Amino acid sequence: MTDQLYDPSLGLQALAHVEDLAALEDWRVAYLGRKSELMQAFGALGQVAADKRRETGQLLNEAKRQLEQAYEARKDAMSRAALTAQLERERVDVTLPGRPLPRGHAHPITQVIQQISDLFRSMGFQIIEGPEVEWEHYNFTMLGIPADHPARDETDTFWLTDKMLLRTHTSPVQVRSLLHVGQPPIRVLVPGRVYRNEATDASHEAVFFQMEGLMVDDRTTMSDMMGMLSYMARGVFGQERKTRFGCDQGFPFVEPGAQMSIDCGVCQGAGCRVCSYSGWLEILGCGMVHPDVLRGVNIDPDRYTGWAFGLGVERIAMLKHGIDDIRLFQGNDLRFLRQVG
Ligand code: DAH
């Protein structure tokens, strides 16, 4: 190609058909690479007749400039097109409504505990907790339940040693809190887990929650108890609820012992399956703290009086939400948990 002029138009035409980056690189190698015709022509400049050499060199340089410029322009256009395509793909429509984030809520048992805690806190009660592993002494003996008392048979107990057990109720925290403060006044509310060694069914679990309430003060009376418990019941079940108190001899640490019922919210007291056709639902046990319990913690029962109550949190939640199986609470089924919110 000594005197034949190099023609860049072939390369420029080929470039017009290049569609992607790989093909573009192939093109660069073919038309501008070391072994390309153009570079070989540069290499052969020495063999061009001396009087034509300068002109040929200029022409080759011009061809090279054209090819390089076309190459850069093509590369630019291709990367701009790629960017545009990417932006198009990733386009965000900021006018679309946002996707709602799933929002959780407290477990239904926690909700009941929080609600009842708030109600009693508003009446000057402190919320405290006690140990789940408890001494027999606090769980039974100091609550008027000696070793041979029939109440010990009723509650089948998980024993850890012959003196230590998983508490069967939150009542031992009555004793602990009285020992802790020394002398009245005291107002405490005690939520927590309790354990019973019994078979599970729709209304029994071996592990469940109770809340214990205790007030000891100068001459606090049963009507204080009835008023505060009724206030709590209306806060939880609705302001229109009626409450009723009846005798209950079941618990030796209260004298007199009582139980509180609310009028059935399903039938409004007329009688239905939920309330066993009585119109009333029993929701807790309560009573005046037995003088022996006070004596046991060195409080003079002639000077101070007290009252206490204990309720099953699951039972309250079941009545509140119309749940018919206690096992649902520990079942971890999100369909259930989402419904009860
Ligand atoms: N501790 C009782 C139980 O386990 C409930 C109870 C009844 C607690 C009467 C009390 C009370 O404080 O006064 O079932």
Side-chain angles (χ1 to χ4, degrees), residues 169 171 174 196 210 212 251 253-254 285-287 308-310:
H169 52 177
S171 301
Q174 287 190 32
R196 304 265 171 103
Q210 284 190 340
E212 190 86 12
F251 300 102
F253 42 91
V254 278
C286 56
F309 71 92

Side-chain angles (χ1 to χ4, degrees), residues 45-55:
L45 260 184
Q47 292 151 38
V48 173
D51 58 333
K52 292 249 173 88
R53 202 174 292 152
R54 192 179 135 87
E55 188 191 355

Side-chain angles (χ1 to χ4, degrees), residues 233-247:
R234 294 196 185 102
V236 174
F237 292 104
Q239 291 306 320
E240 70 284 3
R241 289 275 76 72
K242 298 190 190 90
T243 53
R244 181 178 84 167
F245 291 81
C247 259

Side-chain angles (χ1 to χ4, degrees), residues 299-319:
I299 293 172
D300 179 1
D302 295 325
R303 160 103 210 266
Y304 295 107
T305 53
W307 52 269
F309 71 92
L311 58 79
V313 180
E314 281 81 355
R315 175 160 171 77
I316 302 288
M318 288 168 83
L319 292 173

Side-chain angles (χ1 to χ4, degrees), residues 3 11 19 27-28 37 79 99 105 109 112 144-145 147 153 162 180 194 216 218 222 255 257 259 277 279 291:
D3 46 5
E19 295 293 351
W27 182 93
R28 190 192 62 76
E37 202 182 322
S79 61
R99 284 185 207 126
H105 59 74
I109 294 301
V112 168
I145 315 174
D153 303 330
D162 59 348
H180 184 79
V194 300
V216 181
D218 275 310
M222 210 164 203
E255 176 58 37
Q259 40 92 354
Y277 302 98

